[in-house]
Each structure stands twice: as C-alpha cells, then as structure tokens.
Amino acid sequence: MPELPEVETVRRGLEPGLVGRTIVDARCTSNPKFTSAPDALGATVEEVNRRGKYLLIAMADDRELVIHLGMTGVLAFEIDPVRGPHERAAWLLDDGRWLTFTDVRQFGRIAVVDAGSYESLPTLAALGPEPFDESLDAEMFWRSLRQSKQRLKTRLLSQRPIAGVGNIYADEACWAARVHPGSRRITRAQAAELLEAIREALAAGIANGGTTLRDYRNVSGGTGSNQDELKCYGRAGEPCSRCGDLLVSRVYDGRTTTLCRTCQPMR
DNA sequence: CGCAGCGCCTGAAGGC
DNA sequence: TGCCTTCAGGCGCTGC
C-alpha cells in the first residue's frame, strides 16, 4: 500500500524520464477513476512533484496530471507494453516509451486539473502539511490533533494533521513514540515525540526504497526493503522488540492496528 | 460542519 | 480438490 515513502520513491524514479517529455498518445479503461488519463494528451511535462500520497505532474499548459496509486497502483516505463488485464491507463511519450499504470484493485485514481485546483479531490484539497516542512512544529501538530475527538490513528490517516501517513507508518510511528493509536487525546509532549517518530519512520522508508508487502514496486519493477525493518506493523503475536510483551492486533474505525500494550499505554 | 459508516475492488488465504 | 467466506485498506460519498 503506497504511502509517502513509496510515492516519493516512485516520484524520484519518474522524474528523470518524464521531465521535458511530451505525451503523444494515451489510453485508459472505462472505469471513471481512470478515464481522465487521455486529457493529458499533447502536454509537455515540466515537473514531477508529490504532495502526501499524490503524484502531481506539472505540465506546460498550467495543468496537472494527478495520480494516486491507491492500494495496488504501479507506474512503470515500458518500451512495448503488453496490455495486461490490470492495465488501467498508459501514456506514450515522444521518446517512444510508454508510462503505464496498472492497478489490480482499482483503488487508484487519475485526474487532470488546472494547476492547484483540487476541488474534485477533497483529500488533496484539504491535505495537511508535508512531514518534512520545517514550518510544521510540535505545537502546530499537537493543536491539529487536539482539534478532533477521533482516535489518534484515525486522525493521522485522515491526512489532515500531516500528509502521507498510512496504516504501516502510523503503526510504526505510534510504536516508536510509545503512544496508543486508539487514544482520543494526547499530551503536548507525546505529540512532539510522535511528530519526530513519524519523520523518522518516513525517512527510513524513503531511504529503504519503500515497503513492499505484496504489490508495491518502483518504476523499474523493483521492490523496496523497508518491510524488513518494521518493528510493529503486521507483527501481532510476536514479542515487542523493546519490552518482550506480545504485540496485539486491534481494529479501530475499521483499520487493523498493531500495538504493544506495555510500551503504548492508553495514557 | 464533523464524523461514522459504507462501498469500491480483486486476489490471497483459510475453513470445511 | 474445490467452493465459499473473510480479509486487506485509502479515499470518496452519504447521511445523521
């Protein structure tokens, strides 16, 4: 499930091959989530940017090609792509290569919008600050968390307090910061610890080329290695590497959550 | 307006 | 072996 580190890895892989290229052909399937892909036809790519989990491909006509990978979206450069059953869209570049978008579960999304106009993508329009934005400090983060009565985990996944955190990195960061993901109120000090833990977890994810549990691939088809470094996510039933107590699994607002009851007390 | 709940979607895995 | 059920989960949408 691509979260910020996976999307950033994809962004870095796309950038050198995409900037300066003009889109000369395009195709898509009939699922409305992907039918905007051909709207980028004729445009020249100026920048490959990212906000949270969204790829924002800036084009010379002041529009943006927005791509969200959803759960199983994979972008790849290919010379002569086999149009497999899961290909949802593809763009032919003026150097003869195709950029293909495959997405088994079709949770991804493609949109072409006027630059910065995100009304059709409400989560992007209301996205919180980038994790590595220096103007985001612990006080601001704590205030944003406090604004809501939602559980901490749910609030993090809303993308409002901070952009780009999904289920994996939320569990990892809460574990590292010793805060309970089901908590509805955390202290200023806990928020400071959590912000630092989120930054460390995401930075590690990027450094390791992302987390590949099943579907995630970079644009070269390779896997990441961060799955080998996870301390909490997906390890329910195994001993906590910090205290030895068994990690447990909970469901909060429909999201499976792993935590250590000893290291992460509710208060 | 905030937020809980649901639906989308398919393949893997587990139960019988 | 094969059928059926459950699960994974980000985000958009609906309705309270």
Side-chain angles (χ1 to χ4, degrees):
Chain A
M1 56 216 78
E3 304 179 28
L4 186 148
E6 291 73 40
V7 179
E8 176 60 19
T9 302
V10 170
R11 190 201 69 76
R12 292 177 185 184
L14 289 176
E15 194 167 46
L18 210 48
V19 170
R21 298 274 65 81
T22 297
I23 295 167
V24 296
D25 196 5
R27 65 192 188 208
C28 63
T29 61
S30 59
N31 185 328
K33 290 179 158 189
F34 311 117
T35 48
S36 304
D39 292 352
L41 204 55
T44 299
V45 174
E46 286 194 325
E47 296 175 1
V48 180
N49 299 310
R50 179 195 54 73
R51 272 285 279 135
K53 306 174 197 173
Y54 292 82
L55 284 165
L56 304 175
I57 299 171
M59 304 186 292
D61 58 3
D62 280 330
R63 294 188 303 161
E64 285 175 344
L65 171 59
V66 181
I67 302 176
H68 195 290
L69 300 176
M71 289 288 295
T72 56
V74 175
L75 287 164
F77 288 117
E78 298 181 65
I79 301 295
D80 191 15
V82 180
R83 204 166 174 174
H86 302 312
E87 183 194 284
R88 309 302 176 190
W91 300 269
L92 177 62
L93 310 175
D94 60 354
D95 62 0
R97 293 176 309 150
W98 287 83
L99 176 63
T100 61
F101 180 74
T102 57
D103 184 7
V104 171
R105 292 186 198 173
Q106 305 186 68
F107 276 28
R109 189 171 168 144
I110 294 169
V112 176
V113 302
D114 291 334
S117 298
Y118 304 134
E119 311 84 55
S120 63
L121 300 147
T123 302
L124 175 58
L127 202 59
E130 282 295 311
F132 301 110
D133 183 339
E134 288 176 10
S135 68
L136 170 61
D137 60 26
E139 181 70 19
M140 186 194 311
F141 185 56
W142 178 62
R143 280 202 303 267
S144 176
L145 290 175
R146 218 175 40 152
Q147 266 177 17
S148 164
K149 291 172 189 163
Q150 291 176 304
R151 294 184 185 275
L152 172 60
K153 173 84 175 274
T154 306
R155 183 70 175 149
L156 288 175
L157 297 186
S158 77
Q159 309 300 300
R160 293 296 292 268
I162 193 165
V165 176
N167 214 21
I168 296 172
Y169 295 96
D171 277 8
E172 290 299 297
C174 286
W175 180 86
R178 297 176 160 88
V179 295
H180 196 295
S183 169
R184 293 185 189 273
R185 234 183 71 186
I186 68 172
T187 66
R188 186 187 262 111
Q190 285 178 315
E193 292 263 345
L194 181 59
L195 176 59
E196 191 54 37
I198 289 171
R199 285 174 160 156
E200 286 177 13
L202 295 177
I206 293 170
N208 292 324
T211 300
T212 299
L213 295 176
R214 181 175 302 168
D215 299 286
Y216 167 70
R217 296 291 185 278
N218 60 38
V219 297
S220 305
T223 66
S225 65
N226 199 59
Q227 62 278 8
D228 302 330
E229 311 300 326
L230 300 179
K231 298 282 199 352
C232 180
Y233 175 88
R235 295 193 176 278
E238 298 179 33
C240 170
S241 64
R242 205 163 38 205
C243 77
D245 195 7
L246 293 188
L247 298 173
V248 297
S249 181
R250 296 279 182 270
V251 176
Y252 294 125
D253 299 307
R255 292 290 167 265
T256 301
T257 298
T258 305
L259 64 105
C260 173
R261 288 170 298 179
T262 303
C263 293
Q264 297 165 268
M266 193 57 105
R267 260 188 308 273

